[in-house]
Amino acid sequence: MRKYETIFILHPSFDEEAVTASIEKFKGVIENGGGTIDNVDLWGKRRLAYEIDKVNEGTYVLVNFQAEPELPKELDRIFRITDGVIRHIIVNLEK
């Protein structure tokens, strides 16, 4: 298993309950795909470096996890089709 880090930005209109539900959804994708979660860090609402689709801020979430190389591809696919995810990135920490 390899170590990965993902940061995703949720739409600022999400309330605390919706943010928690989104985090649990992505944690479930990782765990159901055979991965293990090392750390989940909710950074909260922050201003974006630049405007995206007329939005100036978003809720940032950092997740560190371990998984097989196929899992980040599936996680990326789910990030892309999930409403409310403004941006995301998945980084392999072992290089």
Side-chain angles (χ1 to χ4, degrees):
M1 296 220 307
R2 297 181 182 164
K3 292 186 178 197
Y4 294 94
E5 176 177 84
T6 183
I7 297 177
F8 55 95
I9 306 170
L10 298 172
H11 199 276
S13 66
F14 280 22
D15 60 0
E16 190 174 322
E17 197 172 288
V19 169
T20 304
S22 295
I23 292 170
E24 290 303 318
K25 174 183 176 178
F26 298 126
K27 282 173 58 178
V29 169
I30 293 167
E31 290 169 345
N32 293 336
T36 58
I37 304 226
D38 297 332
N39 182 35
V40 177
D41 193 9
L42 177 61
W43 292 355
K45 275 192 185 175
R46 294 180 177 226
R47 187 161 181 77
L48 300 176
Y50 54 91
E51 189 174 283
I52 302 170
D53 295 330
K54 298 182 182 178
V55 176
N56 290 323
E57 63 179 19
T59 304
Y60 284 68
V61 182
L62 168 71
V63 179
N64 294 331
F65 64 98
Q66 296 180 32
E68 295 300 326
E70 300 80 33
L71 183 65
K73 295 173 191 165
E74 177 64 13
L75 186 60
D76 182 57
R77 185 187 73 79
I78 292 173
F79 277 137
R80 290 178 190 275
I81 63 174
T82 302
D83 290 335
V85 175
I86 299 173
R87 284 283 191 271
H88 70 279
I89 188 169
I90 303 170
V91 179
N92 182 353
L93 295 177
E94 298 175 350
K95 290 215 174 193

